[in-house]
Amino acid sequence: MRDRFHGQLSVLGELLSSMCGMACEELRLANRVFLDRDVEAAAELAAVEAKLNAARTTCEETAQKLLALQAPVARDLRTVLAAVYCADRLERMGDLAQHIADQAVRAPEFAVPDALVGRFGEMAGLVLDGGRPRRGDRGTDRGGVPLARPIR
């Protein structure tokens, strides 16, 4: 019984990992719309946003089934609830990326002044590269706890 529960938790984790990738892709696309005024990227972003929203619903449904059928306690309960919270935050990141793109498409002349495009590009690059390991990173924090895999 517990093996099945932990298998379902693994599926939930994989779904969250997939959602991280979708949210990152939305940020990349929003960056293209915002800085490059790429209208085609806005259409791509809308498609990814729909997938991210569906993944959040799937994540919540999976968590509800786990809570109802397995009645987890202590650490397992916290893990399931954390997954729901993370799914909500990831979906919200996608919503914000969509909002940035919508504003840039609606009024491209006000999105970024030409003099600041380079600076905004640098900031966007820092955000998008934030999940990647830095030089000298050995894959663990100072306490020896493994760090998260980089988002690609």
Side-chain angles (χ1 to χ4, degrees), residues 3 10 19 34 36 61 72 84 92-93 115 146:
D3 290 337
S10 293
M19 289 179 70
F34 189 63
D36 302 335
E61 290 170 351
V84 172
R92 181 69 180 133
M93 286 173 61

Side-chain angles (χ1 to χ4, degrees), residues 1-118:
M1 190 71 157
R2 298 314 291 170
D3 290 337
R4 183 174 179 206
F5 174 74
H6 288 287
Q8 291 170 329
L9 273 182
S10 293
V11 168
L12 195 57
E14 290 169 11
L15 182 57
L16 284 173
S17 178
S18 171
M19 289 179 70
C20 286
M22 286 185 255
C24 190
E25 181 61 21
E26 281 196 62
L27 290 171
R28 283 189 186 99
L29 290 167
N31 188 47
R32 279 182 32 204
V33 174
F34 189 63
L35 295 176
D36 302 335
R37 297 177 172 101
D38 185 346
V39 178
E40 291 175 11
E44 286 180 56
L45 191 145
V48 176
E49 173 66 10
K51 290 179 188 176
L52 185 60
N53 290 341
R56 177 190 178 200
T57 300
T58 302
C59 184
E60 287 178 347
E61 290 170 351
T62 302
Q64 288 171 358
K65 288 178 188 173
L66 282 171
L67 292 171
L69 300 175
Q70 300 291 335
V73 294
R75 188 172 97 191
D76 292 338
L77 177 61
R78 288 189 298 272
T79 300
V80 173
L81 294 177
V84 172
Y85 178 80
C86 289
D88 180 63
R89 298 293 96 202
L90 289 167
E91 194 269 337
R92 181 69 180 133
M93 286 173 61
D95 290 345
L96 293 171
Q98 180 71 56
H99 179 71
I100 290 168
D102 289 346
Q103 291 299 325
V105 168
R106 192 172 302 128
E109 66 277 5
F110 298 114
V112 179
D114 290 335
L116 296 176
V117 168

